[in-house]
Amino acid sequence: MSNTLISERPAGGAPRAYEFPAITRTEMPGGEVVAAHLPGQRMAYAGVVLESGFVREPVGKEGVGKITADLLREGTELKTGDEFALALESLGASWSGSVDSDVLRVGVQAPVDRIAAAVALLAEALRRPRLAENDFDRVRSDRVAKLTTAWAMPGTRANEALNRGLYLPDSRYSKQDTGTVASVGALTLQDVRDFHAANLALGGTLLLAGDLSGVDTAALGKILLGQAAPPVAPPPETGARDLVDREIVVVDRPGAVQSVLAIAHHAPRRDTPDYTAIEAMATILGGTFNSRLNHQLREVKGYTYGARGGFDLNRENGVFSATASVHTEVTADAAVDALAEIERIKSGGVTDDELASTKAYRTGSLPIALQTPGSVGGALAQIVEFGLPDDYYTRKYTEYTQLSKDEVDTAATKRLFPENAVVVIEGDAEKILPGLTEAGIGTVRVDDEGQA
C-alpha cells in the first residue's frame, strides 16, 4: 500500500489588518468609565477594577482579599444569597470575580438591554454586601479546605518555596497569594468588613463592552461611581531579593515518585516596551506544545508529560518561570537540561522558522481571542490595570506583524538570567539530593519553612 501526495498544503496568507475597538473614557466623581463599543454584540460585559489586590492585605491577614471577593455574591443588605442569585438569573446574567497582586475585579455579563439592571445589581453587591456571619464561616471553611487539599498536591510547596526565594520575608509576594491555612483560618468577619471598607466601598473603574449604541454609559457610571472617592494610597514596596548566584532549593516530599521542577528569576514590569518581543521569545521557549522546553524534556528525553515556561508581569515587577513534573530518577538531568535550553535561547537566539510560526500563531489568535464582550472587557482591565495606551492591542498586533529576529534575540539576551535563577525542586530529598549535588549547577540547600 502506498500513499500519493495529490496536493500541496495551502500556505497561510498575509495577516489582515486588525483594530481593537475604540475606547471612550468618562470621568465620574468616584472614578472613570472605560467603554468599548462592539456593534451587533447583543451581550454586554460590565466590570469594576479596584485597587484592592493582595498586596494591600494587612500583615497576618493574607487571603482576606479573596475571601471578600467570594462573599460579594453571597447576598446584599437588600437580598439574601438566594435572592441575589435569582436576580442574576432573571437578567440572564453571569457573575465573575478575580484578585491578583494589584487589583480586584468583579463583573457581570448580561443581554445589552438589561445591562443597566445588571450594573445596578453589581453596584449593590460591591457597595452594600451582606457579609453575614454564616456566609463568612462557610466561605472561609471552603477556602481552608481548598488550601489543605492544595498543600497535599504536588507543586504547591514548590511554588511557596519559589516565592520565598524571589522575595524578602516581609514582602507580601513571598507568601501564597491565597493566604495559608493558618492565615485564612484565623480571619474574622470583622477583618473582611475592614478590608471592604478600606478598599471596596468607594472608587474604581467601570468597564463596559458590548453594543453600546443605546446605552447611557455616564448613567451607568453614576450608579457605581457617583460618590467621590479618596485618593488611592501607593502599594507597599515589592521587596524583591537580589539574585546573585543560582540557588538550588529542595523541598522534601518523602516517598514522592515524581519531582516538581521550577526555575524562576525576576523580570520587568508589564508595561515594558519590549513586551511583544518577550512574549514571542517565551512562546518559542516554553509557551506551546512545540516549544523548546517541551520538545527537549518530553519528546527527546522522555522525562515528563509536559514542560512549559513564560513570563508573568505585573504592575511593579515580574517573574520568569519554567516548570515540569519529572520522574524522580531523572530529576538532576531534567534540571540540567531545562537550564541548558534557557541558556541556549539566551545565547543563540531563535530560528527564522520558529519566529515565523510564532508570528502566525499570535497574529492569528489575538483577533479571535478578542471577539466577545467578556474578552474585550478583560482586555480593558489589562489596559486599566497596567496603564497601557487605549490602542494597545492594535499596536501589539502591528508589532507582531513587524517583529524581527533581532528584537526577539535581544529580548532573550536581556530578559533571561538562568545563571541567577532560583531552582526549586519538590521531591524525595533522600533520592534527589546526591544527583543535584553532583550535577554542580548551584549551591544546594533544603527548604523546610513551608506552611500549608
Side-chain angles (χ1 to χ4, degrees), residues 302-304 326-335:
Y303 293 156
T304 177
V326 303
H327 302 300
T328 295
E329 60 271 20
V330 296
T331 298
D333 292 336

Side-chain angles (χ1 to χ4, degrees), residues 247-285:
E247 301 177 1
I248 313 299
V249 182
V250 174
V251 179
D252 190 17
R253 193 181 183 91
V257 297
Q258 285 190 328
S259 297
V260 177
L261 168 65
I263 302 168
H265 59 68
H266 298 302
R269 298 168 17 148
R270 176 61 177 81
D271 61 359
T272 182
D274 59 342
Y275 179 83
T276 300
I278 291 173
E279 186 179 62
M281 177 267 292
T283 301
I284 294 167
L285 175 61

Side-chain angles (χ1 to χ4, degrees), residues 36-74:
H37 176 49
L38 311 176
Q41 286 282 6
R42 303 313 300 169
M43 291 295 290
Y45 171 82
V48 185
V49 173
L50 299 114
E51 297 294 318
S52 309
F54 65 70
V55 295
R56 296 183 183 274
E57 295 173 335
V59 176
K61 309 295 182 184
E62 293 83 12
V64 67
K66 289 186 181 292
I67 293 289
T68 305
D70 289 344
L71 282 168
L72 293 179
R73 62 178 302 170
E74 296 295 334

Side-chain angles (χ1 to χ4, degrees), residues 292-304:
R292 291 189 182 187
L293 282 170
N294 195 66
H295 176 75
Q296 182 68 11
L297 270 65
R298 174 190 162 110
E299 301 299 308
V300 176
K301 295 298 182 71
Y303 293 156
T304 177

Side-chain angles (χ1 to χ4, degrees), residues 148-433:
T148 302
T149 301
W151 187 253
M153 301 294 289
T156 302
R157 303 179 199 186
N159 186 63
E160 189 193 47
L162 201 63
N163 290 340
R164 286 196 299 276
L166 292 171
Y167 299 101
L168 298 171
D170 291 340
S171 169
R172 177 62 181 88
Y173 289 96
S174 71
K175 304 170 180 63
Q176 298 181 57
D177 59 355
T178 54
T180 64
V181 170
S183 68
V184 173
L187 292 175
T188 66
L189 180 57
Q190 190 58 49
D191 293 328
V192 171
R193 289 173 173 164
D194 290 344
F195 185 83
H196 177 271
N199 297 282
L200 278 69
L202 293 169
T205 301
L206 174 62
L207 312 173
L208 296 171
D211 190 329
L212 305 177
S213 54
V215 176
D216 187 341
T217 57
L220 297 186
K222 189 174 181 180
I223 295 173
L224 263 160
L225 306 170
Q227 187 175 352
V232 177
E237 293 290 328
T238 299
R241 287 184 62 220
D242 291 331
L243 304 180
V244 179
D245 297 313
R246 186 186 297 151
E247 301 177 1
I248 313 299
V249 182
V250 174
V251 179
D252 190 17
R253 193 181 183 91
V257 297
Q258 285 190 328
S259 297
V260 177
L261 168 65
I263 302 168
H265 59 68
H266 298 302
R269 298 168 17 148
R270 176 61 177 81
D271 61 359
T272 182
D274 59 342
Y275 179 83
T276 300
I278 291 173
E279 186 179 62
M281 177 267 292
T283 301
I284 294 167
L285 175 61
T288 66
F289 187 82
N290 294 327
S291 70
R292 291 189 182 187
L293 282 170
N294 195 66
H295 176 75
Q296 182 68 11
L297 270 65
R298 174 190 162 110
E299 301 299 308
V300 176
K301 295 298 182 71
Y303 293 156
T304 177
Y305 282 114
R308 62 195 59 84
F311 288 78
D312 180 17
L313 308 186
N314 300 313
R315 185 181 290 169
E316 299 298 333
N317 69 321
V319 171
F320 165 79
S321 64
T323 60
S325 293
V326 303
H327 302 300
T328 295
E329 60 271 20
V330 296
T331 298
D333 292 336
V336 170
D337 285 352
L339 288 165
E341 283 302 317
I342 299 170
E343 178 56 43
R344 185 165 73 91
I345 198 171
K346 176 183 174 72
S347 59
V350 303
T351 68
D352 291 333
D353 287 345
E354 288 174 328
L355 179 58
S357 176
T358 298
K359 289 172 66 172
Y361 163 60
R362 289 294 182 180
T363 55
S365 61
L366 189 146
I368 295 173
L370 294 175
Q371 287 187 330
T372 67
S375 61
V376 172
L380 294 180
Q382 292 269 308
I383 288 171
V384 169
E385 180 174 359
F386 301 118
L388 305 174
D390 287 354
D391 64 346
Y392 170 76
Y393 287 95
T394 302
R395 295 188 192 185
K396 180 179 178 180
Y397 183 86
T398 302
E399 285 176 4
Y400 261 115
T401 64
Q402 301 173 355
L403 192 62
S404 70
K405 182 178 182 301
D406 285 345
E407 290 173 306
V408 178
D409 290 349
T410 298
T413 302
K414 186 178 178 181
R415 303 303 188 184
L416 291 174
F417 304 100
E419 67 278 11
N420 297 335
V422 178
V423 181
V424 174
I425 300 162
E426 176 187 338
D428 191 326
E430 184 178 356
K431 295 180 179 178
I432 65 178
L433 276 172

